[in-house]
């Protein structure tokens, strides 16, 4: 199943006999909370999902956006109307990171039919609604393990034995700047692969063939296994989504640089190359 859906395809599906559950996950790192924008206008029927509270646990040893408690995540998804036998479409304001985080969590916990609106709400030409719906409670019960997940040791090992991609901006990978975490740089052996290079100027993902060419040039064609990390596991989920569209399965290191760099015993590499 394709991991993304276009706005025109979503319009058709919403009018069909089996309309998807819609989740609005507008969020911006360091930006305003997404709820006011949701309340001002959203795709009709969409339920708002709070990334910081429902798609992540409290910041701490696991990083800035550690994985949420599985039971709490399941309860949040059921409140939003998610059912195991019903398709789900997730969207955000257009960047794609937050929607990809929701996509990854639902897929990791066993939902079989989840797609991201390619380009987000910015591509939607249909009506918007300010009425906040009260979804019929869903029945989705999350069971983790359907997508590969890395911890810090696994990420370190994959950087040596396979391909570990760093989805952050290149200047953070190099260690030129670090606006958020304790120290700049990257996991030794990781390859710089900024998420920004997976999308066209309009915010949509590049075509599958172009994404495949990009990741193969970075080493995915030679690596037996591929993993991704970012700052805190949000933009990294978007890179996993892009890899899925390219037909390349990849694991996510959810703790990412926020967890790695907080541990003073972990080595840090700087500069433009993997080492």
């Amino acid at each position: 199943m394709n991991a993304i859906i276009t706005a025109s395809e979503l319009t058709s599906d919403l009018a069909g006999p089996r309309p998807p559950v819609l989740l609005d996950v507008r969020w911006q790192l360091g930006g305003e909370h997404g709820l006011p924008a949701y309340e001002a206008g959203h795709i009709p029927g969409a339920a708002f999902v709070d990334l910081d509270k429902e798609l992540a646990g409290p910041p701490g040893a696991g990083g800035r956006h550690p994985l949420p408690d599985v039971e709490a995540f399941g309860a949040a998804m059921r409140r939003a109307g998610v059912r195991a036998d019903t398709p789900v479409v997730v969207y955000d304001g257009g960047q794609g990171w937050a929607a990809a985080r929701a996509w990854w969590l639902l897929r990791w916990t066993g939902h079989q039919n989840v797609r991201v609106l390619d380009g987000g709400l910015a591509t939607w030409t249909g009506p918007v609604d300010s009425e906040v719906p009260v979804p019929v409670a869903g029945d989705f019960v999350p069971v983790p393990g359907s997508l590969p997940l890395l911890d810090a040791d696994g990420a370190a090992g994959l950087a040596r034995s396979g391909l570990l991609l760093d989805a952050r901006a290149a200047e953070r990978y190099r260690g030129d700047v670090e606006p958020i975490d304790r120290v700049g740089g990257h996991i030794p052996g990781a390859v710089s692969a900024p998420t920004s290079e997976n999308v066209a100027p309009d915010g949509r993902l590049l075509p599958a063939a172009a994404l495949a060419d990009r990741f193969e040039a970075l080493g995915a064609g030679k690596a037996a296994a591929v993993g991704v990390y970012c700052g805190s596991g949000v933009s990294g989920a978007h890179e996993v989504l892009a890899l899925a569209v390219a037909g390349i399965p990849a694991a996510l290191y959810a703790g990412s640089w926020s967890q790695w760099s907080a541990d003073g015993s972990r080595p840090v590499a700087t500069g433009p190359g993997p080492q």
Side-chain angles (χ1 to χ4, degrees):
M1 185 193 72
N2 198 350
I4 58 174
I5 184 172
T6 66
S8 61
E9 290 169 338
L10 177 57
T11 298
S12 177
D13 284 4
L14 288 171
R18 194 172 173 232
V21 172
L22 292 175
L23 303 181
D24 183 312
V25 198
R26 272 178 274 185
W27 172 91
Q28 188 76 31
L29 180 63
E32 296 181 357
H33 197 277
L35 183 57
Y38 164 81
E39 292 173 334
H42 50 266
I43 299 177
F48 180 74
V49 175
D50 189 322
L51 184 146
D52 289 316
K53 295 180 179 179
E54 297 175 316
L55 303 183
R64 283 184 283 108
H65 289 105
L67 296 182
D69 174 82
V70 171
E71 291 187 5
F73 171 68
M77 293 299 98
R78 291 190 292 274
R79 285 195 302 272
V82 175
R83 302 186 61 83
D85 62 352
T86 303
V88 178
V89 172
V90 191
Y91 70 89
D92 57 25
Q95 187 180 41
W97 293 6
R101 171 75 173 212
W103 166 83
W104 187 89
L105 280 168
L106 282 165
R107 290 289 294 111
W108 175 63
T109 55
H111 202 292
Q112 298 299 310
N113 194 339
V114 189
R115 288 174 290 175
V116 170
L117 176 59
D118 194 18
L121 187 61
T123 67
W124 178 252
T125 58
V128 295
D129 195 350
S130 61
E131 180 179 349
V132 176
V134 180
V136 175
D139 64 0
F140 176 66
V141 177
V143 179
S146 291
L147 292 182
L149 174 67
L150 296 171
D151 60 11
D153 288 340
L158 188 58
R160 296 188 299 268
S161 65
L163 176 66
L164 182 65
L165 299 175
D166 185 317
R168 297 173 301 157
E171 59 267 25
R172 291 184 68 192
Y173 170 88
R174 293 191 301 267
D176 298 345
V177 298
E178 182 43 65
I180 305 171
D181 294 312
R182 184 183 69 84
V183 64
H186 57 269
I187 296 173
V191 174
S192 180
T195 300
S196 59
E197 296 180 19
N198 295 329
V199 296
D202 63 2
R204 292 178 173 89
L205 284 169
L206 297 175
L211 289 170
D213 288 344
R214 183 196 182 209
F215 292 124
E216 287 176 8
L218 291 169
K222 301 175 183 178
V226 178
V228 179
Y229 74 97
C230 58
S232 65
V234 178
S235 65
H238 190 264
E239 188 121 294
V240 174
L241 175 72
L243 282 154
V245 170
I248 302 168
L252 177 68
Y253 171 27
S256 286
W257 188 247
S258 61
Q259 181 187 45
W260 183 279
S261 64
D263 182 349
S265 69
R266 296 284 178 185
V268 171
T270 57
Q275 302 303 326

